[in-house]
Amino acid sequence: PQVLSTRNDIRDCSADPPYLPPTATNTTVRLAVLRGIMRTHSSHAYIVPSTDAHMVKHEILCPWGPAPCPQPPLTALFWFQNEYISDQDARLGWLTGFTGSAGTAVVTQDKAALWTDSRYWTQAERELDCNWELQRTTSIESIGIWILKAVPVEGNVSFDPFLFSIDTWKSYSRTLHGSGRTLLPLETNLVDQAWSDQRPLPSSSEIYSLPAEFTGSSWQEKVAGIRQRMEQHVQHPTAVLLSGLEETAWLFNLRGDDIPYNPVFYAYTLLTNTTISLFVEESRLSVAARASLRSGCPGPLCVELREYGQVSAHLRSYTQGNVTVWLGTEYTTYGLYSIVPQEKLLEENYSPVMMAKAVKNAHEQEMLRAAHVRDAVAVIQYLLWLEKTVPQGQVDEFSGAQRIDALRWAQEHSHGPSFQSISASG
């Protein structure tokens, strides 16, 4: 009974006074501050997604339908995009108190609602206070219907265009089209303004070069390969824009620790026929990484290091000329997409870098197999430990997860797990 009462300790907003479990977050002040900022921007509703500026998010893609997946008639295939975002980008979590990895919030002057899927309904009822309505769906159509009821005709529905994918923006645009409501992109993120100096600082950890023994090809060879794809494309693009964090990390053989469980760092890349612009915090590059990137200067294999925040201005300047920019829509935000005139865009689902990265060379395949052997050793050691220890009654799910993590860390070349260990029994 005690375990059940804890597990079912959820909010009850119909009670007088309302009941909130200790896991709920009081968001009254946060919402009041945000609404004040919304008024200064003439915003009647503000949409807050769970993504960051590089489309890092958690998503389950089902071959037969949207998440959550219905029961399939065949074996399921799941593709998890980057599940984690940095603390600095956890805007949805800060505003709502909800810490699930997938969700969307909409705030008006007198209402606030959170949409999430069935994995998180109980969690949301434990973490939200009574300022929030829980909408048990994730469809943009549902969000749009709610907005049409909550926002008056001629009202502005605002959002940060650098947190919306191109497809998501198009979906909202279709939903609100002809309704008299205006979808209004704002360059300033209103949640960041409300969060103010309490917002966590960005990562300051070092960005380092991946040793050549793991890559099988130099970054110069990769750049040459992408430029060859540009030349061979029927539309002859003059540049490739990279927004996905793994795209830039793979292209330059660089790694970082900006996202939990993912060896990437915040950056953009604009690769043209003759130039390479890397938008990154230069001070974080290791000495070896900076030397590698600058070794071809001056020349077509010279990486020009630019400030991370300059990407929009640089892209706007570049597209003034007679150019064509090739980008992958899956990882490019509407904010960057809208800068490039439509007639100068070459859109495909994935950039040529993402497609090249997907095909592993012989050396990468060898390294993958070796990594799996090392991991198998850790798992076998763990299973043996369980066989000996579980009968003694000394193992629970938490200590079990700690043990497998420790065994993996002990393996050569380990940089930690690719996601938080999921440990459960019974």
Side-chain angles (χ1 to χ4, degrees):
Q2 185 178 2
V3 172
L4 286 174
S5 65
T6 301
R7 189 172 294 167
N8 295 325
D9 191 13
I10 62 175
R11 64 180 183 160
D12 183 356
C13 297
S14 63
D16 187 19
Y19 171 73
L20 294 177
T23 48
T25 298
N26 186 334
T27 63
T28 301
V29 174
R30 298 175 188 183
L31 283 168
V33 174
L34 176 61
R35 284 166 172 153
I37 297 169
M38 288 168 59
R39 285 192 290 272
T40 66
H41 287 83
S42 301
S43 175
H44 297 88
Y46 191 64
I47 307 174
V48 184
S50 55
T51 55
D52 70 6
H54 298 270
M55 294 296 96
V56 174
K57 62 186 182 299
H58 179 269
E59 185 176 0
I60 300 179
L61 303 180
C62 308
W64 53 87
C69 296
Q71 187 64 34
L74 49 95
T75 302
L77 293 176
F78 296 97
W79 171 33
F80 289 84
Q81 291 182 319
N82 290 348
E83 180 174 356
Y84 301 92
I85 57 175
S86 68
D87 291 342
Q88 181 188 51
D89 290 319
R91 298 174 179 91
L92 186 74
W94 176 81
L95 180 65
T96 67
F98 170 68
T99 59
S101 63
T104 301
V106 181
V107 177
T108 69
Q109 287 300 324
D110 59 357
K111 294 181 179 180
L114 171 77
W115 285 258
T116 191
D117 66 72
S118 57
R119 293 171 296 163
Y120 298 113
W121 291 345
T122 301
Q123 179 177 340
E125 293 285 11
R126 298 191 69 200
E127 294 181 331
L128 298 176
D129 65 7
C130 290
N131 288 307
W132 294 90
E133 304 171 21
L134 175 61
Q135 302 290 328
R136 297 168 186 262
T137 177
T138 57
S139 76
I140 291 178
E141 181 183 9
S142 167
I143 300 174
I145 292 171
W146 189 93
I147 288 174
L148 292 177
K149 292 178 180 177
V151 176
V153 175
E154 298 186 1
N156 291 324
V157 180
S158 55
F159 66 101
D160 182 344
F162 291 94
L163 298 182
F164 274 59
S165 71
I166 299 165
D167 286 343
T168 300
W169 176 82
K170 289 179 178 177
S171 295
Y172 279 108
S173 184
R174 284 192 300 268
T175 301
L176 299 180
H177 180 72
S179 69
R181 283 78 169 177
T182 301
L183 199 54
L184 181 67
L186 296 176
E187 292 287 326
T188 302
N189 187 287
L190 304 191
V191 173
D192 290 352
Q193 283 193 323
W195 209 347
S196 189
D197 57 1
Q198 298 301 307
R199 186 184 178 204
L201 295 173
S203 173
S204 59
S205 61
E206 186 177 70
I207 299 168
Y208 56 94
S209 293
L210 190 67
E213 64 185 284
F214 296 111
T215 64
S217 55
S218 67
W219 71 259
Q220 291 90 343
E221 290 170 328
K222 293 179 180 180
V223 165
I226 299 304
R227 282 175 168 161
Q228 185 176 20
R229 289 180 180 227
M230 293 164 63
E231 292 175 10
Q232 293 172 346
H233 197 286
V234 66
Q235 292 185 236
H236 302 295
T238 61
V240 173
L241 175 65
L242 305 179
S243 294
L245 299 184
E246 59 269 53
E247 295 178 299
T248 289
W250 177 85
L251 183 64
F252 296 112
N253 292 335
L254 297 176
R255 298 293 186 268
D257 299 300
D258 290 7
I259 305 291
Y261 305 105
N262 292 271
V264 294
F265 53 93
Y266 287 113
Y268 295 97
T269 299
L270 186 68
L271 172 64
T272 77
N273 298 320
T274 57
T275 64
I276 311 168
S277 297
L278 174 60
F279 300 86
V280 68
E281 190 175 341
E282 183 177 353
S283 63
R284 294 178 53 204
L285 290 167
S286 69
V287 173
R290 190 181 295 109
S292 172
L293 296 172
R294 303 287 294 168
S295 60
C297 299
L301 287 175
C302 169
V303 179
E304 300 172 14
L305 299 173
R306 301 178 183 272
E307 283 302 310
Y308 173 78
Q310 292 180 353
V311 61
S312 295
H314 185 81
L315 184 61
R316 190 171 286 110
S317 174
Y318 177 77
T319 53
Q320 297 300 310
N322 182 23
V323 299
T324 301
V325 179
W326 191 0
L327 54 81
T329 56
E330 286 291 323
Y331 285 84
T332 306
T333 64
Y334 175 70
L336 288 178
Y337 173 81
S338 62
I339 291 173
V340 186
Q342 285 293 309
E343 69 275 10
K344 298 180 180 182
L345 268 173
L346 168 55
E347 300 176 48
E348 294 183 357
N349 286 343
Y350 300 100
S351 76
V353 169
M354 193 65 80
M355 299 304 290
K357 172 182 173 295
V359 182
K360 305 304 180 187
N361 61 42
H363 190 73
E364 287 174 318
Q365 292 179 41
E366 180 186 341
M367 293 294 98
L368 283 169
R369 294 188 188 100
H372 277 279
V373 169
R374 291 194 299 272
D375 191 67
V377 170
V379 172
I380 292 167
Q381 290 173 331
Y382 177 62
L383 294 175
L384 180 62
W385 178 79
L386 285 178
E387 284 184 12
K388 292 180 178 179
T389 316
V390 168
Q392 302 171 16
Q394 299 175 1
V395 184
D396 58 22
E397 288 94 333
F398 184 72
S399 63
Q402 288 182 306
R403 185 72 177 192
I404 186 64
D405 287 348
L407 290 169
R408 282 176 162 145
W409 268 113
Q411 290 295 317
E412 187 181 13
H413 306 307
S414 174
H415 278 248
S418 61
F419 58 89
Q420 189 174 25
S421 292
I422 300 170
S423 178
S425 65

